[in-house]
Amino acid sequence: MAQDTREAHPVTPSTAMDQVIVVGGGLAGYSAAHTVLENGGRVLLIDKMPFSGGNSVKATSGINGAGTSSQRAKGIQDSPEIFEQDSLRGGATRPDLVKVLTHESGPAIEWLKGFDLDLSLLARLGGHSQPRTHRGGEKFPGMTITYALIEKLEEVEESSDRAKILQKTSVTKLIAGPDGSVAGVEYKTEDGKEGKAYGPVILATGGFGADFTPNSILQTHRPDLAHLPTTNGEHCTG
């Protein structure tokens, strides 16, 4: 887990803002990486595990979205507003975040279809008033969706200098520029090699439910839960 303490290091014009650094190799991390590429940037994705995927590859239900072309094709009358109300009735306590989640859900589905993904099958799951959980015919949709983005980024890495993926590499510290803003990261590979990378940083490291070490966030804030088992992978340490 990266430390919260940020230490200042000199950032030269040749390195600052030269690339965007994404920390975390699940669906969120690879979505962020592709968004950087779509906007003309270069990206460095860092993942501490030997293989990318995170908990995203374990998802077996699908991905929720409202107002999608798949729904319209089946005559399903759904909207971000209905999805928003369903979420609030379900107990969500951050209306601002619920609005982002629900109103961006449809465009997210359409964006994923751009990776040649089949998201035409729909199901109505618990808490939803409309069928809006999208998937294809595969058994593990989370794996299918995430691997599609991983493979596409690997193709970009192999064919150009616009993307680079570092596996078995842990971010150990955030680097701050002269004004205190985050300007890069320090990292350490599994075999002990240390390095620095400069640029804006996107943290997509997921949760920390599998970190049972004495100084973990779990032990610090919810020690009452530390004795419970978890379905999180060993990578879920923040």
Side-chain angles (χ1 to χ4, degrees), residues 19-26 29-30 33-34 37 42-53 146-170 187 189:
Q19 64 187 345
V20 175
I21 303 162
V22 177
V23 186
Y30 276 87
H34 282 289
L37 294 179
R42 295 173 57 248
V43 66
L44 168 65
L45 186 141
I46 303 176
D47 191 356
K48 64 189 172 189
M49 300 302 291
F51 303 98
S52 292
T146 306
Y147 280 0
L149 272 65
I150 292 174
E151 290 171 357
K152 182 61 70 172
L153 194 68
E154 289 175 343
E155 291 176 6
V156 176
E157 181 184 31
E158 292 172 0
S159 62
S160 73
D161 64 350
R162 297 185 60 214
K164 184 174 181 60
I165 304 169
L166 294 180
Q167 303 283 170
K168 300 182 181 180
T169 302
S170 298
Y187 60 83
T189 64

Side-chain angles (χ1 to χ4, degrees), residues 7 33-34 37 46 74 83 98 109 119-120 179 182 186 189 195:
E7 294 189 359
H34 282 289
L37 294 179
I46 303 176
K74 296 180 182 297
F83 190 7
V98 169
I109 296 291
L119 297 173
S120 61
D179 62 353
V182 174
E186 294 184 14
T189 64

Side-chain angles (χ1 to χ4, degrees), residues 44-170:
L44 168 65
L45 186 141
I46 303 176
D47 191 356
K48 64 189 172 189
M49 300 302 291
F51 303 98
S52 292
N55 271 1
S56 303
V57 299
K58 295 183 177 183
T60 57
S61 297
I63 184 167
N64 298 316
T68 67
S69 58
S70 296
Q71 289 179 310
R72 291 192 293 273
K74 296 180 182 297
I76 296 170
Q77 301 298 314
D78 195 12
S79 70
E81 290 77 16
I82 297 173
F83 190 7
E84 183 178 3
Q85 290 305 309
D86 287 350
S87 301
L88 292 172
R89 278 195 299 270
T93 58
R94 287 288 303 275
D96 54 334
L97 297 183
V98 169
K99 192 174 188 67
V100 174
L101 170 71
T102 55
H103 287 251
E104 295 296 329
S105 65
I109 296 291
E110 305 304 335
W111 183 76
L112 286 172
K113 289 181 179 180
F115 292 88
D116 296 323
L117 287 163
D118 175 18
L119 297 173
S120 61
L121 301 183
L122 296 166
R124 177 182 172 184
L125 301 186
H128 296 278
S129 64
Q130 302 293 330
R132 63 170 68 101
T133 304
H134 295 66
R135 63 178 296 162
E138 66 285 337
K139 187 175 182 180
F140 299 103
M143 181 180 295
T144 301
I145 294 169
T146 306
Y147 280 0
L149 272 65
I150 292 174
E151 290 171 357
K152 182 61 70 172
L153 194 68
E154 289 175 343
E155 291 176 6
V156 176
E157 181 184 31
E158 292 172 0
S159 62
S160 73
D161 64 350
R162 297 185 60 214
K164 184 174 181 60
I165 304 169
L166 294 180
Q167 303 283 170
K168 300 182 181 180
T169 302
S170 298

